Amino acid sequence: MTETAQSTRPTAPNQSDADHADGVDVPEQVRVRRAKRERMLAAGTEPYPVAVPVTHTIGEVRSSYADALEPGEETQDEVGVAGRVVHLRNTGKLCFATVQDGAGQTLQYMLSQREVGQEELDRFKADVDLGDHLFVHGRVIASRRGELSVFADSWQLAAKSLRPLPALHKESSEENRVRRRHVDLITRQRARDVVRLRAAVVRSLRETFHSRDFVELETPMLQTMHGGAAARPFSTHMNAFDIELYLRIAPELFLKRAVVGGIERVFEINRNFRNEGADSTHSPEFAMLEAYEAYGDYNTMATLTRDLVVTAAQDALGTTVITLGDGSSYDLGGEWADIQLYPSLSAACGEEITPETGLDRLLALADQVGLSIDPKTAISGKVVEELWEHFVGDHLYAPTFVRDFPIDTSPLTRAHRSIPGVAEKWDLYVRGFELATAYSELVDPVVQRERFEAQARLAARGDEEAMQVDEEFLQAMEYGMPPSGGMGMGIDRLLMAMTGLGIRETIPFPLVKPLEH
RNA sequence: GGGCCUCUAGCUCAAUGGGUAGAGCAACGGACUUUUAAUCCGUGGGUUGUGGGUUCGAGCCCCACGGGGCCCA
């Protein structure tokens, strides 16, 4: 588009059309700002210039002059700085604007009538609103109160904001924060911090893996079979092949095929999709870490997991001690507790529970404590796990490994090498939820086929979470998979464990139900 | 799936027993050359989530639907 075309964009005659373009009444403040944009265009001033001559970031100005200037001291250093206006204080002949960068660092601009002239000052007062991106050029000085400032000799709007920001000193409702995260990020420091914390954690995890010679792999998200976990999948349709596909519920089976192929230390950090509930600990799409190590087992995975978590906390938070909003705290560092599932359940419920305990007895116990379990699809291992969560898991705040799970709920895990009736699997509990899980992986293709067939029988009985028989995976196993340890960890849950936040606060843009209209 | 709570101005919240819908910030107009949640004077801004119902009269009572939250299973 040419300059001429830009400056003849629709003006007053189309104003009312623009006001109702989205079919709803436009709030007064939006109308006012749209009018300012039109006025600027009519005056030949670009409200959205393609570039402004920035020479320094807000952070660079801050760090260069931090505590270096006395109140009232002026330098001759000229800078060009841009940022979003979060605070305006216009007095008669001297205006102050506080601008903010994406990380929440702020810097003050000062516009004096003496420096820029009456006309420029008037234009500033007329055109600039809270929320606008504003560029100024000028000298770095400290105000009389000692506030680091850029004393403008010229200014220019970098981008006009057409919507008013919410009150900056009141918390928005959780719904508004989630539905308009962009606004949340502008107005709330904690929101900005969590985004950066998440990035730091993921980066730390990758670095720990790299330092241990793991290879990062991206395996398919669109799969012809859903497997690798017990969960209901999303399904979709592929036009070219005219087949139904599933969004993956886990990368496990592909990563194991990679191990068969010789990628002996492999990990993936990516999204899984599970067509289940959405609440304060579950999101339909969530970030998952999985790792496999040939010639490892669930013990080496425990060491790896602790290393990943402790290093991530140190890298991203600088400490392993987590303090929650309610003042309680727990330490992700130090030695982690290590308990066994059946003995800890027995101790907590006051009755000896073993892999031999009958299903009827377990269902009776579950009923006693108010757990509702569908008898049609009930298997003893599943009931034991529910009982364990009720009696023990919900109360584990400090990191705790829980070892040796029922075999019938662990179809991809090998039987324990010395304890009969259980699988070499642990879950890691923190803050009352499952943060990670690991197995000594089942690598016997014949036993694996039997486990899949048992899963298929569950599916036939109506268990929508049961796995399918994956022939491609079985065939891969038949080529020989080395003895291996495997581990999976929820990235969102790691953030939850490190911050005390709900899952929707750790995911920048979680899925929310669309509003009607 | 069940129960309870909630939805009012751009944002955060008020509104006696059913009787003209208000405040702070934000906006608009004015004053002000060192403010920093600036201050002072003045003004505008509402389909009270949506749709029905009861009533002379509904933000408030009843029903349905939608969004959100908490608890339970």
Side-chain angles (χ1 to χ4, degrees):
Chain A
M1 188 178 277
T2 65
E3 283 297 316
T4 312
Q6 277 189 19
S7 58
T8 55
R9 294 282 285 275
T11 49
N14 291 321
Q15 185 71 36
S16 63
D17 286 350
D19 282 357
H20 298 284
D22 43 12
V24 295
D25 287 336
V26 174
E28 176 201 24
Q29 296 188 44
V30 176
R31 282 200 306 273
V32 167
R33 285 159 183 249
R34 285 182 181 178
K36 287 183 183 179
R37 172 185 169 279
E38 296 293 339
R39 198 172 64 216
M40 289 175 69
L41 284 168
T45 309
E46 180 53 68
Y48 302 100
V50 66
V52 289
V54 169
T55 65
H56 294 70
T57 64
I58 290 169
E60 284 166 353
V61 173
R62 276 237 160 265
S63 55
S64 300
Y65 298 93
D67 307 318
L69 301 182
E70 296 298 317
E73 186 178 347
E74 302 196 358
T75 76
Q76 296 304 313
D77 305 343
E78 295 192 355
V79 295
V81 184
R84 188 186 289 274
V85 177
V86 291
H87 200 175
L88 271 176
R89 296 171 299 280
N90 290 345
T91 67
K93 297 190 177 65
L94 181 63
C95 296
F96 300 85
T98 304
V99 294
Q100 174 181 281
D101 70 10
Q105 293 189 96
T106 60
L107 185 63
Q108 178 167 276
Y109 295 162
M110 295 169 65
L111 277 92
S112 163
Q113 181 230 39
R114 200 170 296 146
E115 183 72 17
V116 300
Q118 189 61 46
E119 193 177 320
E120 281 297 288
L121 196 70
D122 289 345
R123 191 168 69 87
F124 179 88
K125 289 181 182 178
D127 288 353
V128 177
D129 287 307
L130 282 177
D132 291 350
H133 290 276
L134 182 63
F135 169 83
V136 301
H137 180 274
R139 289 177 296 117
V140 177
I141 68 164
S143 74
R144 279 181 204 164
R145 295 286 180 85
E147 183 74 29
L148 184 64
S149 309
V150 179
F151 193 71
D153 54 47
S154 69
W155 72 274
Q156 182 183 2
L157 216 52
K160 184 74 195 154
S161 170
L162 296 185
R163 290 185 182 272
L165 290 176
L168 290 173
H169 308 285
K170 294 260 168 63
E171 291 261 291
S172 280
S173 66
E174 198 210 317
E175 184 182 357
N176 278 341
R177 292 188 206 168
V178 168
R179 287 192 189 274
R180 292 184 300 174
R181 185 69 85 192
H182 45 281
V183 174
D184 190 33
L185 289 168
I186 293 167
T187 55
R188 196 166 58 95
Q189 187 62 42
R190 182 63 169 157
R192 293 187 283 267
D193 291 343
V194 170
V195 166
R196 284 165 176 78
L197 179 69
R198 185 179 179 112
V201 165
V202 171
R203 175 180 179 164
S204 169
L205 294 171
R206 285 203 161 93
E207 283 172 355
T208 300
F209 278 120
H210 292 150
S211 73
R212 289 167 167 256
D213 293 325
F214 277 73
V215 172
E216 182 167 10
L217 203 64
E218 288 160 278
T219 64
M221 297 222 181
L222 288 173
Q223 301 182 348
T224 56
M225 315 204 74
H226 63 276
R232 295 177 61 177
F234 286 90
S235 56
T236 186
H237 184 262
M238 185 196 182
N239 293 332
F241 295 172
D242 191 24
I243 54 173
E244 294 306 304
L245 291 177
Y246 299 104
L247 272 64
R248 75 172 186 198
I249 56 174
E252 170 150 1
L253 302 186
F254 281 97
L255 289 171
K256 283 181 170 172
R257 285 162 72 173
V259 174
V260 170
I263 307 174
E264 297 182 335
R265 293 182 175 207
V266 65
F267 78 99
E268 176 164 9
I269 296 176
N270 226 316
R271 231 75 62 77
N272 289 345
F273 306 87
R274 297 187 181 177
N275 205 344
E276 297 168 349
D279 62 29
S280 60
T281 55
H282 296 83
S283 172
E285 62 175 316
F286 62 98
M288 184 82 177
L289 152 66
E290 284 203 16
Y292 294 85
E293 182 176 358
Y295 305 106
D297 61 12
Y298 78 155
N299 294 309
T300 58
M301 288 296 108
T303 306
L304 171 68
T305 302
R306 189 182 167 282
D307 192 18
L308 285 164
V309 171
V310 170
T311 306
Q314 284 292 358
D315 288 350
L317 295 172
T319 176
T320 57
V321 178
I322 311 302
T323 303
L324 302 182
D326 62 7
S328 64
S329 70
Y330 49 88
D331 190 358
L332 295 178
E335 281 300 302
W336 288 1
D338 203 329
I339 64 179
Q340 289 179 290
L341 186 123
Y342 282 94
S344 63
L345 173 59
S346 301
C349 78
E351 177 177 336
E352 183 71 8
I353 308 287
T354 72
E356 278 76 46
T357 304
L359 180 58
D360 290 348
R361 181 68 204 127
L362 295 172
L363 283 171
L365 257 178
D367 193 54
Q368 267 177 38
V369 297
L371 297 171
S372 80
I373 293 169
D374 182 0
K376 276 210 312 293
T377 56
I379 51 177
S380 69
K382 204 172 195 173
V383 184
V384 166
E385 287 185 18
E386 298 246 359
L387 285 169
W388 183 86
E389 274 177 39
H390 173 81
F391 279 107
V392 188
D394 293 348
H395 316 293
L396 295 176
Y397 263 62
T400 304
F401 288 117
V402 189
R403 285 176 189 267
D404 303 338
F405 274 64
I407 283 191
D408 55 8
T409 52
S410 311
L412 301 164
T413 313
R414 67 186 303 149
H416 197 282
R417 62 195 79 182
S418 58
I419 305 174
V422 299
E424 288 207 1
K425 165 185 172 178
W426 55 250
D427 274 1
L428 172 63
Y429 269 73
V430 181
R431 237 190 99 195
F433 58 76
E434 180 193 337
L435 173 61
T437 187
Y439 315 151
S440 296
E441 299 293 341
L442 176 59
V443 296
D444 181 334
V446 176
V447 174
Q448 183 66 80
R449 181 177 295 278
E450 291 166 7
R451 299 275 187 88
F452 274 152
E453 284 166 355
Q455 287 285 305
R457 286 193 292 276
L458 283 179
R461 278 157 59 188
D463 186 343
E464 291 174 298
E465 294 187 350
M467 295 181 200
Q468 297 171 296
V469 180
D470 189 330
E471 287 294 343
E472 284 183 35
F473 172 68
L474 285 171
Q475 197 184 104
M477 299 295 285
E478 286 166 4
Y479 283 93
M481 175 167 163
S484 301
M487 184 273 284
M489 176 158 57
I491 301 292
D492 316 293
R493 290 188 168 191
L494 177 57
L495 267 292
M496 291 163 66
M498 287 173 56
T499 59
L501 297 171
I503 197 166
R504 279 183 307 275
E505 298 278 339
T506 68
I507 299 177
F509 297 100
L511 184 72
V512 284
K513 208 166 180 176
L515 296 172
E516 291 289 309
H517 285 311

